[in-house]
Amino acid sequence: MRDVPPNLAILGLQWGDEGKGKLVDLLSARYQNVVRFQGGNNAGHTVVVNGQSIALHQVPSGALHPSCFLLVGSGVVLNLEVFREELNRLAERGFDLSKRLLLSDKAHVILPHHIALDRWREGGAGKVKIGTTGRGIGPAYEMKVARMGVRLGDLLRPETLKDIVRTGYEEVRLRLGDEAKDLPSLDAIVADVLRWADPLLPFIGDTQTYLMDAWKKGQSILFEGAQATLLDIDHGTYPFVTSSNCSLGGLFTGTGLPPKALSKILGVAKAYTTRVGEGPMVSELHDAVGDRIREAGREFGTTTGRPRRCGWFDAPITRHACLTNGVDGLGLMKLDVLDGFEQVGLVTGYRDGEGRVSNKLPACAAEWDTLKAEIKYFPGWEKPTRGATRLEQLPKEARVYLDALVESVETPIAYLSTGPDRSEGLLYTTTFLEGML
Ligand code: GDP
Ligand code: IMO
Ligand code: MG
């Protein structure tokens, strides 16, 4: 057994919903600190313990471990009302976070007019529809970059809050034109923000210094990514992405820790591919097989309930994500969902209009539309993998498929997940996770 586990990042390698929540919860048993560093309540991270499912949106997924200290870093955009509700729901289930929570005073607040602008853009004809979660994430990050944002630290000085909210509010009103009439007044927004913030004020502080001290003292830190590399504002399928850096770079800007503070990177991917919202997805199956994956995997959004688009494992995107993040090992999730399929596909490359096959990802959305999936098929397996906890329980056919998957992404599988519960899964190869589960 290792005494101090390595400071570890858990990052999504596809288009989100890979099962990051399960892995963060599972590994949190070994970590003293768990920190969210980007995104907001567009995230929905599911934790299942003894058949009971809990969806977390902004609270770090170490919440169910009473010994874990929870942090929300400066790179996060926070919906105060939703955060408060999450704390209440957890308290009702017996998880009191009041002695183990710190929210960065530099994290930004999602405001009602950010949500209105997000929904207005998504709703109208002639606009580029991204299929956002409608949670105001994009506008909150835009306001941050435009230097018109409201930070949690601003909530500690209520007398200046109205002036700080005003600039962004006026900007949104101009953009909405006639439809701005449906916005609450500036005074109403400031009053709501102060009311939502009130119970959270004791938790606002300097997360960077806290984490720096924790690191220097040799405490362990688990970094919980939200969204995923293909939704990253720089490295994803732009413009069909979210508005933060959900790949490795966002960890450093979103916590204020230097790269030296991180030891290992666990990338999370499903044994197939899903995406929710608009944008390119070469591996998408528009047939009964896609429907079968959706039903078997219960692929409906944790945050919005939307059906997820489904396809076979897409090696080019996942390999790109492994390279972008310097992934040390994969958490490969939901293998059990493929149980009982006659054959299992693996997208090994993309074929362009001229018949050339490559595993490169184009930069521009129009170019994506010309690509077709090159699929290699493998025999399926009859004996279920669901709940497997030992390598020997895996059918030979599943091993053959997994070997090909590993080769295609040039990264070993560290943990293989065979069901939603904490107990369902196994260490697949000898990696840094050895002795930690
Ligand atoms: P996240 O956003 O990456 O945390 O993932 P979500 O929680 O949005 O979606 C993953 C879903 O898959 C959740 O409902 C999990 O409970 C479930 N899940 C995680 N791992 C497994 C697995 O190995 N098998 C199955 N069948 N479900 C899983
Ligand atoms: P977790 O952390 C899956 C997608 C949305 C949309 C795009 C932009 O649970 O994996 P946004 O509201 O962020 O502006 O939407 O990003 N998206 C997610 N898809 N899982 C998520 O989070 C997501 N967060 C955002 O569907 O396509
Ligand atoms: Mg999710």
Side-chain angles (χ1 to χ4, degrees), residues 17-22 44-46 48 302 308 333-334 336-337 417-420:
D17 303 324
E18 294 90 351
K20 299 176 290 293
K22 167 175 171 171
H45 294 180
T46 316
V48 181
T302 312
R308 297 175 184 145
M333 316 302 281
K334 303 187 95 162
D336 55 292
V337 170
S417 182
T418 57

Side-chain angles (χ1 to χ4, degrees), residues 309-432:
R309 301 155 66 191
C310 297
W312 299 123
F313 185 85
D314 184 330
I317 61 151
T318 317
R319 179 177 171 274
H320 158 78
C322 286
L323 291 171
T324 304
N325 298 303
V327 168
D328 293 296
L330 294 178
L332 192 78
M333 316 302 281
K334 303 187 95 162
L335 180 69
D336 55 292
V337 170
L338 302 179
D339 286 352
F341 279 72
E342 297 71 38
Q343 55 175 10
V344 174
L346 181 70
V347 177
T348 51
Y350 299 154
R351 183 179 293 271
D352 69 15
E354 263 106 64
R356 286 177 303 233
V357 178
S358 137
N359 60 4
K360 297 273 181 308
L361 274 55
C364 117
E367 218 177 308
W368 275 101
D369 296 340
T370 65
L371 301 177
K372 298 262 176 305
E374 275 287 299
I375 306 175
K376 186 165 178 205
Y377 288 97
F378 296 84
W381 44 92
E382 272 169 36
K383 193 177 136 226
T385 65
R386 175 68 192 251
T389 53
R390 283 179 296 113
L391 218 45
E392 311 81 76
Q393 292 170 303
L394 298 178
K396 177 173 93 281
E397 294 83 359
R399 296 292 296 271
V400 170
Y401 168 67
L402 293 173
D403 285 347
L405 185 154
V406 165
E407 197 182 324
S408 70
V409 297
E410 299 164 35
T411 310
I413 298 171
Y415 175 83
L416 180 70
S417 182
T418 57
D421 203 86
R422 270 181 193 166
S423 60
E424 296 174 299
L426 52 107
L427 292 179
Y428 192 75
T429 30
T430 310
T431 63
F432 56 91

Side-chain angles (χ1 to χ4, degrees), residues 15-17 20 42-45 131-133 226-227 231 241-242 276 306:
W15 279 289
D17 303 324
K20 299 176 290 293
N42 47 350
H45 294 180
T132 72
T133 57
Q227 290 78 54
L231 289 171
V241 292
T242 191
V276 57
R306 290 178 290 176

Side-chain angles (χ1 to χ4, degrees), residues 19-280:
K20 299 176 290 293
K22 167 175 171 171
L23 274 175
V24 173
D25 168 67
L26 189 60
L27 287 162
S28 290
R30 302 277 287 132
Y31 282 82
Q32 286 156 299
N33 302 283
V34 181
V35 54
R36 273 281 305 267
F37 52 86
Q38 46 68 234
N41 61 323
N42 47 350
H45 294 180
T46 316
V47 173
V48 181
V49 186
N50 302 327
Q52 294 268 351
S53 170
I54 299 186
L56 298 163
H57 299 283
Q58 301 179 116
V59 170
S61 303
L64 275 48
H65 296 271
S67 59
C68 248
F69 195 84
L70 309 174
L71 298 110
V72 171
S74 60
V76 168
V77 290
L78 205 70
N79 182 314
L80 301 168
E81 190 185 16
V82 171
F83 194 83
R84 213 176 67 164
E85 277 164 20
E86 266 192 88
L87 290 186
N88 290 344
R89 254 188 302 119
L90 284 164
E92 278 162 20
R93 299 179 82 151
F95 302 102
D96 173 13
L97 308 189
S98 61
K99 302 228 163 22
R100 51 188 185 102
L101 182 65
L102 191 62
L103 313 175
S104 170
D105 48 10
K106 294 181 188 164
H108 279 246
V109 181
I110 301 172
L111 295 163
H113 43 287
H114 300 158
I115 299 170
L117 181 57
D118 190 5
R119 294 188 180 168
W120 174 78
R121 279 191 189 139
E122 288 286 306
K127 298 172 193 149
V128 181
K129 190 169 186 294
I130 305 295
T132 72
T133 57
R135 302 294 192 264
I137 305 297
Y141 277 116
E142 286 163 47
M143 288 298 171
K144 169 179 175 172
V145 176
R147 292 152 295 182
M148 293 180 200
V150 176
R151 309 205 291 181
L152 292 189
D154 298 326
L155 305 173
L156 301 170
R157 283 163 220 87
E159 65 287 357
T160 58
L161 188 62
K162 188 170 168 184
D163 285 338
I164 297 173
V165 177
R166 189 193 314 272
T167 11
Y169 179 75
E170 291 304 337
E171 190 97 348
V172 172
R173 273 169 57 85
L174 279 176
R175 180 70 66 85
L176 294 184
D178 287 347
E179 290 179 46
K181 65 179 185 324
D182 299 328
L183 280 183
S185 70
L186 178 61
D187 283 329
I189 288 178
V190 171
D192 277 344
V193 167
L194 288 172
R195 185 165 51 82
W196 295 324
D198 191 55
L200 301 178
L201 298 180
F203 305 118
I204 299 175
D206 179 354
T207 50
Q208 184 188 20
T209 302
Y210 182 97
L211 284 167
M212 203 70 83
D213 289 346
W215 171 45
K216 295 270 164 64
K217 281 191 283 198
Q219 283 190 14
S220 52
I221 307 171
L222 186 56
F223 299 89
E224 176 177 3
Q227 290 78 54
T229 309
L230 275 298
L231 289 171
D232 182 284
I233 186 79
D234 285 287
H235 303 292
T237 44
Y238 190 88
F240 302 98
V241 292
T242 191
S243 300
S244 67
N245 282 115
C246 0
S247 54
L248 188 61
L251 184 156
F252 304 112
T253 52
T255 57
L257 285 178
K260 268 187 281 196
L262 181 68
S263 340
K264 292 289 174 194
I265 298 144
L266 181 64
V268 192
K270 289 182 210 192
Y272 49 94
T273 309
T274 66
R275 164 160 216 176
V276 57
E278 309 299 317

